[in-house]
């Protein structure tokens, strides 16, 4: 999951992921009459100097205060916005260039350059906790840090005695000591077996690691790998793999994760469904109001609400519909729309950079790019 700033999210599941899942299906209220629709939007101004600073991202924290990330003089900064007032706290320079990725966790976040040799780990008071060396084997590092900010796991392909192995290691953050928790000989691997890991993330209980990777659907040369995903224990045991064959994206919250569609080719429609998985093994499928809403979904940290983002373009403007749903019932709560003029001759590219959903106030914040002046704007929607 890479550009001015990429979001590792890795990173970015179906009901068969856990064989013991208790899977249910929920259909939201889809009639237009039942959905409160509004075109009221608040643009937050005065936080940054648009001539010197470019807004990148906004994230709600557990108490509904927010972090914003922005660039200035080719450096990356973060600052908190207080919950009580639209006032920016003291900014912190978190990275020395803008070509970085970062991952939000329950108790902090980390930022790194995929071509670099270390990452910076911060708490949500923007205190630098650790500068962590990354594994370097000539490829972008595939690693994750636990939500309690104490453990780091990473995956590598190694060669031993002319055999290739997929290895996963784990160790304390900041320590050079590591333990091999997973090892798979992938030389002459049979078809339909996990062959590589592309991204990893500790789930919120820190006892399970979620991953995306690839498998080969058949043996032989010149066979392209297909996407898969699954989980294994933080101790490397209980490996589960779903051979999806298609790429999905994922959004994480305190007690689980949400699966949604990747972008579909122009002219085609998405499934119109999302799946929410709890760490306790239960799951449910929710049908959305419109099919293509399932291409872009954000969930609140506490898992109570999720917001879909649907961008549609005409010859003169782009309209973005933000629809907030109750994650427990699957019912839509309300919809707000934002309109941006499309200058003549401009490409109707996506303008939404990032969305974050509040935990308690039924509020959504978004960073969008105006095609008229190529400036980033911070928007707020109340539902």
């Amino acid at each position: 999951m890479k550009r001015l700033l990429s979001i590792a999210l890795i990173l970015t599941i179906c009901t068969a992921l856990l064989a013991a899942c208790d899977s249910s299906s929920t259909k939201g209220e889809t009639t237009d009459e039942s959905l409160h629709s509004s075109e009221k939007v608040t643009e937050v101004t005065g936080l940054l100097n648009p001539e010197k600073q470019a807004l990148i991202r906004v994230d709600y924290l557990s108490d509904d205060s927010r972090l914003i990330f922005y660039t200035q003089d080719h450096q990356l900064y973060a600052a908190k916005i207080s919950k009580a007032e639209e006032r920016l706290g003291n900014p912190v320079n978190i990275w020395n260039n803008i070509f970085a990725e970062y991952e939000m966790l329950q108790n902090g976040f980390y930022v790194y350059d995929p071509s670099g040799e270390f990452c910076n780990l911060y708490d949500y008071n923007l205190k630098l906790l650790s500068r962590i060396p990354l594994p370097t084997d000539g490829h972008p590092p595939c690693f994750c840090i636990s939500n309690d900010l104490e453990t780091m796991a990473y995956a590598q392909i190694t060669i031993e005695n002319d055999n290739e192995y997929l290895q996963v290691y784990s160790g304390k953050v900041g320590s050079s000591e590591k333990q091999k928790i997973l090892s798979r000989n992938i030389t002459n691997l049979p078809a339909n077996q996990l062959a590589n890991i592309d991204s990893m993330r500790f789930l919120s209980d820190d006892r399970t690691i979620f991953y995306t990777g690839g498998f080969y659907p058949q043996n032989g040369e010149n066979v392209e790998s297909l996407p898969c995903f699954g989980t294994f224990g933080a101790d490397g045991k209980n490996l589960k793999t779903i051979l999806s064959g298609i790429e999905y994206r994922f959004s994480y919250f305190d007690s689980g994760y949400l699966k949604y569609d990747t972008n579909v080719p122009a002219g085609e429609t998405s499934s119109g469904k999302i799946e929410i998985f709890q760490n306790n093994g239960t799951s449910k499928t929710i049908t959305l109001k419109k099919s293509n809403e399932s291409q872009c979904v954000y969930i609140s940290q506490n898992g109570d609400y999720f917001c879909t983002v649907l961008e549609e373009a005409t010859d003169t403007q782009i309209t973005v519909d933000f629809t907030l749903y109750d994650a427990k019932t699957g019912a839509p709560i309300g919809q707000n729309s934002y309109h941006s003029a499309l200058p003549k001759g401009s490409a109707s590219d996506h303008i939404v950079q990032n969305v974050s959903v509040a935990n308690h106030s039924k509020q959504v914040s978004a960073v969008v790019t105006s095609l008229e002046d190529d400036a980033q704007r911070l928007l707020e929607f109340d539902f």
Side-chain angles (χ1 to χ4, degrees):
M1 301 193 196
K2 282 178 177 187
R3 356 121 318 231
L4 186 61
L5 180 73
S6 301
I7 304 169
L9 256 115
I10 312 285
L11 354 176
T12 119
I13 307 176
C14 67
T15 54
L17 177 61
L18 300 174
C21 273
D22 171 22
S23 180
S24 60
S25 180
T26 303
K27 185 171 183 179
E29 302 170 10
T30 57
T31 58
D32 289 340
E33 290 78 9
S34 68
L35 184 64
H36 169 68
S37 182
S38 172
E39 296 192 359
K40 295 181 179 180
V41 55
T42 301
E43 180 180 345
V44 181
T45 59
L47 294 177
L48 300 176
N49 181 345
E51 295 182 0
K52 297 180 179 180
Q53 300 161 323
L55 182 62
I56 298 296
R57 181 182 169 106
V58 59
D59 285 281
Y60 281 99
L61 304 181
S62 59
D63 65 351
D64 282 354
S65 61
R66 286 172 292 175
L67 278 184
I68 65 167
F69 296 83
Y70 65 93
T71 62
Q72 179 177 341
D73 298 327
H74 306 290
Q75 307 276 311
L76 181 62
Y77 289 81
K80 292 187 75 169
I81 305 175
S82 66
K83 185 172 58 173
E85 54 185 324
E86 300 291 356
R87 184 175 58 82
L88 203 63
N90 294 327
V92 174
N93 183 190
I94 61 171
W95 201 252
N96 60 3
N97 62 56
I98 61 176
F99 302 105
E101 299 190 11
Y102 65 94
E103 189 74 25
M104 309 298 291
L105 306 173
Q106 283 183 327
N107 298 308
F109 67 95
Y110 58 90
V111 57
Y112 69 101
D113 185 337
S115 62
E117 299 180 352
F118 63 91
C119 79
N120 287 347
L121 177 64
Y122 292 88
D123 65 17
Y124 282 136
N125 291 317
L126 299 179
K127 177 183 178 182
L128 178 62
L129 301 178
S130 184
R131 187 176 174 90
I132 307 168
L134 295 179
T136 55
D137 60 357
H139 302 284
C142 175
F143 73 102
C144 58
I145 294 175
S146 59
N147 289 283
D148 64 10
L149 312 181
E150 294 184 359
T151 304
M152 176 178 172
Y154 66 91
Q156 282 185 327
I157 301 294
T158 63
I159 299 178
E160 301 175 13
N161 299 323
D162 296 326
N163 288 320
E164 279 192 318
Y165 288 84
L166 170 60
Q167 315 271 29
V168 178
Y169 301 89
S170 179
K172 285 289 186 181
V173 165
S175 172
S176 59
E177 296 183 6
K178 61 183 180 181
Q179 177 186 4
K180 186 187 298 182
I181 61 172
L182 182 65
S183 180
R184 290 174 60 83
N185 188 336
I186 58 175
T187 303
N188 300 319
L189 191 69
N192 299 321
Q193 298 288 320
L194 174 64
N196 66 280
I197 292 178
D198 300 322
S199 70
M200 300 191 302
R201 180 183 175 105
F202 279 92
L203 296 184
S204 57
D205 60 7
D206 284 340
R207 295 193 297 265
T208 305
I209 295 176
F210 172 79
Y211 70 88
T212 63
F215 72 98
Y216 293 98
Q218 63 189 55
N219 295 323
E221 298 182 357
N222 302 318
V223 178
E224 292 188 5
S225 66
L226 296 177
C228 65
F229 44 84
T231 59
F232 55 87
D235 57 2
K237 298 178 181 178
N238 201 25
L239 173 67
K240 299 178 185 293
T241 303
I242 296 302
L243 308 177
S244 63
I246 14 180
E247 183 179 0
Y248 290 105
R249 291 182 289 182
F250 305 90
S251 182
Y252 304 91
F253 58 98
D254 283 350
S255 60
Y257 47 87
L258 179 153
K259 176 182 77 70
Y260 60 104
D261 298 339
T262 189
N263 290 327
V264 300
E268 297 185 14
T269 57
S270 295
S271 69
K273 300 177 186 294
I274 58 103
E275 293 177 85
I276 296 179
F277 293 81
Q278 301 288 339
N279 290 343
N280 63 10
T282 62
S283 69
K284 63 182 174 184
T285 299
I286 295 175
T287 300
L288 304 174
K289 183 172 178 286
K290 295 182 180 180
S291 293
N292 281 342
E293 286 184 69
S294 58
Q295 292 187 47
C296 191
V297 187
Y298 298 82
I299 193 165
S300 62
Q301 185 177 339
N302 63 4
D304 286 352
Y305 308 101
F306 66 87
C307 180
T308 65
V309 180
L310 181 60
E311 298 187 43
E312 295 179 312
T314 66
D315 291 339
T316 58
Q317 75 173 12
I318 293 179
T319 297
V320 186
D321 291 333
F322 298 85
T323 305
L324 188 68
Y325 287 80
D326 185 317
K328 299 291 191 296
T329 66
I333 294 171
Q335 177 180 296
N336 276 291
S337 298
Y338 173 74
H339 306 280
S340 178
L342 185 61
K344 189 175 182 180
S346 298
S348 56
D349 201 2
H350 292 291
I351 65 171
V352 178
Q353 291 185 211
N354 156 254
V355 173
S356 189
V357 183
N359 295 288
H360 311 291
S361 58
K362 295 182 183 179
Q363 187 179 73
V364 170
S365 291
V367 178
V368 301
T369 300
S370 169
L371 297 179
E372 294 180 278
D373 54 11
D374 199 33
Q376 287 72 42
R377 308 187 189 285
L378 176 58
L379 307 178
E380 290 180 354
F381 303 92
D382 288 294
F383 293 86

